Amino acid sequence: MSARPEVRPAERAEPAGTAPQPDTWRTRLRRDWPLLVMGLPMVITVTAFWWLPTLGNVIAFQDYNPYSGGIFGSPILGFTNFQLLFSDPQFIRAVTNTLGITAFQLVFYFPVPIALALLLNSIMSPRLRALVQGVVYLPHFFSWVLVVAIFQQMLGGAGLLAQTLRQHGYQGIDVMTNSDTFLLLVTSQTVWKDAGWGSIIFLAALSTIDPNLYEASAVDGAGRWRRMWHITLPGLRPVIVLLLILRLGDALNIGFEQFMLQRYAVGSQVSEVFDTFAYFSGLKTGDLAYGAAAGLFKGLVGLVLIVAANRVAHALGERGVYSKS
């Protein structure tokens, strides 16, 4: 007697006389209305505080005057503001400084949270790990005013380093006003402030790696470095690619307060970045249309960079920020 074949739930036939329900928008609405209701507050918030204000970028194409014409009464100039923007040497310098600082920090800052996460993950004692994590997370909650003040006390002309050198018969140095070392200075400040906080997401990714992989590789004779190269880093690769894409998309946004606080100490030749340029050329002078053109250009460059980086990630076999279904 032959065994009766098992019928899986997904393979069960529809009851006799019952036609399959068409996948229409009404069917999906009846099925997914609780999720839609849950997402409605966020949709309203994003629309009110993001999408509607974004429509104000139209002033980048106008001779905008908030007191006489406003958005609806200011004359249209087309791309005149962008032509003036691209012919402005201060704008070119700001973009060059911003891209240079971003490229430098991608090489010397971006790997630091990864290495820090690997080091924290290797600490066996839970109490010691919690203590170290608390210490390295703390600077993230400091304002840039406090961070710059701490570095001033350490590396300024009257700081600890200069006083120590003078006490031993050497000439004191002032790193905070040296334009030649400004790139190293701002990168070290960023590492000290945000490296610990940035390691959190990598620690979360490390916790998802199957411990059995490490045990099996150890049985096969793999050492610590080979386990890290063949198990840990491949497990972190999707997160690394995702954050790298987001960082590239944010290439022109490297901060305002950090550079604004140190602008007058080192000069605008090395400290002028995109955000400070938009502030001084748009908000401080009252030429809001010119500043809006700079901001719109910044957003378009970020969009192009993130789309290009995402396509490169797809070509390398990674999911990236988004993918087509």
Side-chain angles (χ1 to χ4, degrees), residues 48-189:
F49 296 99
W50 180 257
W51 292 112
L52 291 180
T54 302
L55 299 177
N57 284 322
V58 69
I59 67 175
F61 305 94
Q62 296 178 333
D63 184 12
Y64 178 69
N65 191 328
Y67 306 105
S68 60
I71 293 180
F72 300 102
S74 298
I76 301 296
L77 297 180
F79 293 94
T80 302
N81 289 323
F82 293 93
Q83 294 175 357
L84 296 175
L85 191 68
F86 297 144
S87 61
D88 190 346
Q90 294 183 356
F91 171 76
I92 302 300
R93 183 175 64 230
V95 173
T96 303
N97 290 341
T98 303
L99 293 178
I101 294 172
T102 298
F104 189 84
Q105 291 186 355
L106 278 178
V107 177
F108 295 99
Y109 166 70
F110 186 80
V112 173
I114 303 174
L116 183 58
L118 294 175
L119 291 175
L120 291 175
N121 191 61
S122 64
I123 299 178
M124 301 303 296
S125 173
R127 292 186 177 181
L128 180 59
R129 182 188 303 175
L131 176 62
V132 175
Q133 285 178 334
V135 172
V136 298
Y137 293 168
L138 185 61
H140 172 75
F141 301 97
F142 295 164
S143 67
W144 276 114
V145 176
L146 181 58
V147 172
V148 173
I150 292 174
F151 273 76
Q152 179 68 36
Q153 295 298 320
M154 298 294 293
L155 304 177
L160 179 62
L161 177 61
Q163 293 182 10
T164 303
L165 291 175
R166 294 191 187 99
Q167 290 175 0
H168 290 81
Y170 299 98
Q171 182 179 2
I173 59 175
D174 187 0
V175 179
M176 300 298 293
T177 59
N178 190 347
S179 60
D180 296 331
T181 60
F182 181 71
L183 184 58
L184 294 174
L185 176 64
V186 295
T187 303
S188 62
Q189 291 171 348

Side-chain angles (χ1 to χ4, degrees), residues 17-40:
T18 303
Q21 293 291 332
D23 190 17
T24 62
W25 69 271
R26 295 179 183 273
T27 305
R28 293 194 294 268
L29 180 61
R30 287 195 298 266
R31 181 188 62 199
D32 299 333
W33 71 266
L35 299 177
L36 297 175
V37 172
M38 292 174 60
L40 187 60

Side-chain angles (χ1 to χ4, degrees), residues 42 56 220:
M42 183 56 64
D220 292 338

Side-chain angles (χ1 to χ4, degrees), residues 220-280:
D220 292 338
R224 180 187 298 271
W225 291 104
R226 293 186 66 86
R227 292 198 298 269
M228 182 184 69
W229 183 259
H230 293 286
I231 299 176
T232 305
L233 292 181
L236 291 177
R237 187 172 61 183
V239 177
I240 294 175
V241 172
L242 175 63
L243 293 182
L244 183 60
I245 293 173
L246 295 176
R247 184 66 191 92
L248 288 176
D250 212 26
L252 295 183
N253 186 21
I254 58 175
F256 173 77
E257 294 181 13
Q258 180 186 13
F259 296 91
M260 185 67 179
L261 291 169
Q262 302 174 91
R263 173 187 174 90
Y264 297 104
V266 297
S268 61
Q269 292 292 331
V270 295
S271 64
E272 185 79 289
V273 293
F274 203 93
D275 290 335
T276 57
F277 170 80
Y279 171 75
F280 283 102

